[in-house]
Amino acid sequence: MSIRLPYLLFLGDAPDPLAAKVAFGIRDWRPENCVGQLRMAGCQADLGLTDMSLERALAAGARTLVVGVANRGGLIPETWVSALQAGLEAGLDLAAGLHNRLADVPALAVTAAGLGRQIHDVRQPERTYDVADGLPRSGKRLLTVGTDCSCGKMYTALALEKAMRARGMDADFRATGQTGILITGEGVSIDAVVADFISGAVEAHAPANDPEHWDLVEGQGSLFHVSFAGVSTGLLHGAQADALVLCHEPTRTHMRGLPHYPLPDLETCMAANLRVARLTNPAARFVGVSINTAKLSDQAAADCLSEIESRTGLPAVDAVRTGVERIVDALA
Amino acid sequence: MSIRLPYLLFLGDAPDPLAAKVAFGIRDWRPENCVGQLRMAGCQADLGLTDMSLERALAAGARTLVVGVANRGGLIPETWVSALQAGLEAGLDLAAGLHNRLADVPALAVTAAGLGRQIHDVRQPERTYDVADGLPRSGKRLLTVGTDCSCGKMYTALALEKAMRARGMDADFRATGQTGILITGEGVSIDAVVADFISGAVEAHAPANDPEHWDLVEGQGSLFHVSFAGVSTGLLHGAQADALVLCHEPTRTHMRGLPHYPLPDLETCMAANLRVARLTNPAARFVGVSINTAKLSDQAAADCLSEIESRTGLPAVDAVRTGVERIVDALA
């Protein structure tokens, strides 16, 4: 999957900024890929980018109209369909990470086919994969792993990419979920791959590279989340990670969506990840811990990071509050 | 997926008995489901069942024509298509576990649709699944796990079912691969499920049951096989196994298809499986070891079983040579 850059970001009639969080993610992490925003009447989100007509966006170089807003209730509103169809007719491809596929909307499918445009529904893999071979490959790889789902694995990997590139290090974020794919324009939604090919898909999307190059692979799920641990296991094996960063949200009282499952303690979680990772890379090690302290006061956040740092002997950061520089120090 | 019973077994023009091993598996484990065999000119395999025309098989009650022979090179020969189409026209459904789908053969798809017959390509899941919830469920479950792929996990689970039923125990084999599905008429080819739903699919196919009922879940892959460990992990979590049986082939020098990966030792493999299994069933334990000693002499096999039994403290059996009674003793 490779989406043509740059993007015009479609915000539709987003009822609030949260509904457009995918668009905000793209703007925050890849501003150079965004020529402007396209908003419909009533839109309550604003990326601070130039509002553009389709014609103006095309003149500014836009190649793909990206749905950066989540739809409510699963249905794609008719008003969006008209706007997206106009995008196809004007000369743009479409990309989205919605549960419902744009390509399943007849008007869009027919228009795209007739005009030779691409529709990228990034939740669905666009290609097939080989099973993993586990052969050692060159280049370095870091994988973010978590005590749970949705605790900062994508954000941490993107923050590491930004900080490493700022130091002149050769580093690429490797997306494994739909938001990450829309941010970078490529990747694989790893939880939508057929089970036999989880680790093979990771091998394909974080391939051999220069010896000093770092792939920063976005983790998914958790070895301790009973719904998704198979995906997390395949990611660990496929990534052949040299370095692992543990991501954690300290106020969570149970595994996401599973009130009957407590979170693992950090040490248990790290030991389990190392055991799995070392099957394909015996040198795998943890280089840091990334804590999402958004729900804590400044003092509580500082105490939390300090306590985890002394417990684990690893740099403990919050990718937003403190930045990830101390983890980059450990890698450099 | 539920395939209508009983079967007429299609052997085509099998060049040798090995090519018909799926048919032999069905005959061996579910003779009561087989009304006869259908062979084409030149067939070199013989199940010892009555050769039947389509009409005679229908009169004998057959409901599904099952392709029990592997095709060479992936293509489904034109001669098979004619024979299978005649089966549809005579009144039978079709079922197969081939890499290439029968439903993708236009003549078969059109005929089946026109006549209202079912075509079961059991490598592809026929339904969608929820993600696993990991909630404890009633009934007992045993899962066969392996040091590697293809070391006796299906055979052991089927042998346990037979031995347990012979003792009057309430036990059902639960198929997770195409051969097992064709043997029992139901199940899910777990490695073909979308990655997010591995453990959820196992929860669906080995659901809550009577407290004394045993589901004997067919394992897949190995936690130590880098291509497939995600599948094995999801199986362990979804099965919530009370009992595990370790399957092993002692002459293997490396992981199947991965010459650069050695096999794990039994103790390491058992410890890893217990750690994963105990996330959803803290009481999970090993109850036996099933060794495929086919390549060993009688003496070497006896020595091997004795050595493993003293090392592990568990009953060590060969499902063919010694039978699995001693594992059933441990369960009863």
Side-chain angles (χ1 to χ4, degrees):
Chain A
M1 167 153 0
S2 190
I3 304 172
R4 293 196 305 155
L5 300 170
Y7 298 155
L8 175 64
L9 296 176
F10 177 75
L11 303 188
D13 52 354
D16 52 47
L18 191 62
K21 71 176 182 176
V22 169
F24 279 96
I26 299 171
R27 181 207 66 178
D28 289 347
W29 294 107
R30 289 292 186 276
E32 69 276 21
N33 291 351
C34 306
V35 303
Q37 62 187 12
L38 177 61
R39 301 192 291 168
M40 291 167 45
C43 181
Q44 300 297 316
D46 183 355
L47 301 171
L49 300 175
T50 308
D51 285 295
M52 288 191 177
S53 65
L54 293 167
E55 292 66 30
R56 184 170 166 197
L58 274 160
R63 291 287 170 270
T64 302
L65 181 59
V66 174
V67 179
V69 54
N71 55 334
R72 281 171 296 182
L75 287 173
I76 300 171
E78 190 53 46
T79 50
W80 291 17
V81 173
S82 305
L84 298 173
Q85 190 170 7
L88 290 170
E89 288 163 351
L92 299 171
D93 289 343
L94 297 181
L98 305 174
H99 277 289
N100 292 59
R101 289 157 41 96
L102 297 182
D104 288 340
V105 178
L108 300 179
V110 169
T111 303
L115 298 172
R117 312 268 187 263
Q118 298 295 311
I119 298 180
H120 300 282
D121 286 295
V122 304
R123 278 181 195 258
Q124 276 81 30
E126 292 189 339
R127 49 164 289 194
T128 58
Y129 297 96
D130 291 326
V131 296
D133 62 25
L135 285 169
R137 57 195 194 274
S138 60
K140 298 176 182 177
R141 282 165 301 279
L142 178 148
L143 175 68
T144 52
V145 299
T147 50
D148 195 3
C149 303
S150 306
C151 61
K153 291 183 284 285
M154 182 187 81
Y155 196 98
T156 299
L158 283 161
L160 284 166
E161 181 196 55
K162 189 172 185 177
M164 291 168 78
R165 287 180 172 183
R167 293 199 197 183
M169 295 170 73
D170 191 11
D172 286 306
F173 171 77
R174 298 299 184 189
T176 62
Q178 63 268 16
T179 302
I181 296 169
L182 291 174
I183 288 173
T184 61
E186 58 189 9
V188 56
S189 194
I190 195 74
D191 58 10
V193 166
V194 166
D196 247 3
F197 304 103
I198 304 168
S199 44
V202 181
E203 289 186 350
H205 284 280
N209 214 313
D210 295 336
E212 296 305 310
H213 176 276
W214 280 95
D215 268 340
L216 307 167
V217 183
E218 175 191 6
Q220 296 289 339
S222 165
L223 290 182
F224 292 84
H225 197 295
V226 300
S227 313
F228 309 121
V231 172
S232 309
T233 298
L235 257 167
L236 279 160
H237 286 162
Q240 293 183 12
D242 303 282
L244 298 170
V245 172
L246 181 66
C247 300
H248 178 60
E249 207 283 67
T251 69
R252 209 163 286 183
T253 55
H254 59 76
M255 298 298 283
R256 188 173 166 86
L258 303 174
H260 44 301
Y261 279 93
L263 263 72
D265 65 63
L266 302 189
E267 291 77 3
T268 302
C269 187
M270 291 168 66
N273 276 281
L274 281 178
R275 274 191 299 262
V276 175
R278 285 178 174 165
L279 184 64
T280 55
N281 187 340
R285 65 192 174 95
F286 274 91
V287 295
V289 184
S290 178
I291 308 292
N292 177 350
T293 64
K295 294 184 182 168
L296 301 182
S297 69
D298 285 349
Q299 185 59 51
D303 291 347
C304 176
L305 294 179
S306 164
E307 188 263 336
I308 288 172
E309 187 149 327
S310 62
R311 266 170 69 192
T312 62
L314 294 169
V317 304
D318 180 311
V320 176
R321 260 191 161 117
T322 72
V324 296
E325 295 293 338
R326 296 184 53 240
I327 295 179
V328 180
D329 293 341
L331 289 176
Chain B
M1 165 153 359
S2 189
I3 305 171
R4 292 196 305 155
L5 300 170
Y7 299 154
L8 175 63
L9 296 175
F10 177 75
L11 303 188
D13 52 354
D16 52 47
L18 192 62
K21 71 176 183 177
V22 169
F24 279 95
I26 300 170
R27 182 208 65 180
D28 288 347
W29 295 107
R30 289 292 186 276
E32 69 275 21
N33 291 351
C34 308
V35 303
Q37 63 187 11
L38 177 61
R39 301 193 292 167
M40 291 168 43
C43 181
Q44 300 296 315
D46 183 355
L47 302 170
L49 300 176
T50 307
D51 286 295
M52 287 189 178
S53 66
L54 293 167
E55 292 66 29
R56 183 169 168 199
L58 275 159
R63 291 289 171 267
T64 303
L65 181 58
V66 174
V67 179
V69 54
N71 55 335
R72 282 169 297 182
L75 288 173
I76 300 171
E78 190 52 48
T79 50
W80 292 18
V81 173
S82 305
L84 297 173
Q85 190 170 7
L88 290 169
E89 288 163 350
L92 298 171
D93 290 343
L94 297 181
L98 304 174
H99 277 289
N100 293 60
R101 290 156 41 96
L102 297 182
D104 288 339
V105 178
L108 299 180
V110 168
T111 303
L115 298 172
R117 312 268 186 263
Q118 298 294 313
I119 297 181
H120 300 281
D121 285 296
V122 303
R123 279 182 195 257
Q124 276 81 29
E126 292 189 340
R127 49 165 288 194
T128 59
Y129 297 96
D130 292 326
V131 297
D133 62 25
L135 286 168
R137 57 195 195 275
S138 59
K140 298 177 182 176
R141 282 165 300 278
L142 179 148
L143 174 68
T144 52
V145 299
T147 51
D148 195 3
C149 303
S150 306
C151 61
K153 291 184 284 287
M154 181 187 82
Y155 196 98
T156 299
L158 283 161
L160 284 165
E161 180 196 55
K162 188 172 184 177
M164 291 168 77
R165 287 180 171 183
R167 292 198 196 184
M169 296 170 73
D170 191 10
D172 287 305
F173 171 78
R174 297 299 183 188
T176 62
Q178 63 268 14
T179 301
I181 296 169
L182 291 174
I183 288 173
T184 61
E186 58 189 8
V188 56
S189 193
I190 195 75
D191 58 9
V193 167
V194 167
D196 249 1
F197 305 102
I198 304 168
S199 43
V202 181
E203 289 185 349
H205 283 280
N209 214 314
D210 296 336
E212 296 305 310
H213 176 276
W214 280 95
D215 268 341
L216 307 166
V217 184
E218 176 190 4
Q220 296 290 338
S222 165
L223 290 182
F224 292 84
H225 197 294
V226 300
S227 314
F228 310 121
V231 172
S232 309
T233 298
L235 257 167
L236 278 160
H237 286 162
Q240 293 183 12
D242 304 281
L244 299 169
V245 172
L246 180 66
C247 300
H248 178 60
E249 206 283 67
T251 70
R252 211 164 283 183
T253 54
H254 60 75
M255 298 298 282
R256 187 172 166 88
L258 303 174
H260 43 302
Y261 280 94
L263 262 71
D265 64 63
L266 302 189
E267 290 77 4
T268 302
C269 188
M270 290 168 67
N273 276 280
L274 282 178
R275 274 192 299 262
V276 175
R278 286 178 173 164
L279 184 63
T280 54
N281 187 341
R285 64 192 175 95
F286 274 91
V287 295
V289 184
S290 178
I291 308 292
N292 177 350
T293 64
K295 293 183 182 169
L296 301 182
S297 69
D298 285 349
Q299 186 59 50
D303 292 347
C304 176
L305 294 180
S306 164
E307 189 263 337
I308 288 172
E309 187 150 327
S310 61
R311 266 169 69 192
T312 61
L314 294 168
V317 305
D318 179 312
V320 177
R321 261 191 160 115
T322 71
V324 296
E325 295 293 338
R326 295 184 53 240
I327 296 179
V328 181
D329 293 341
L331 289 176

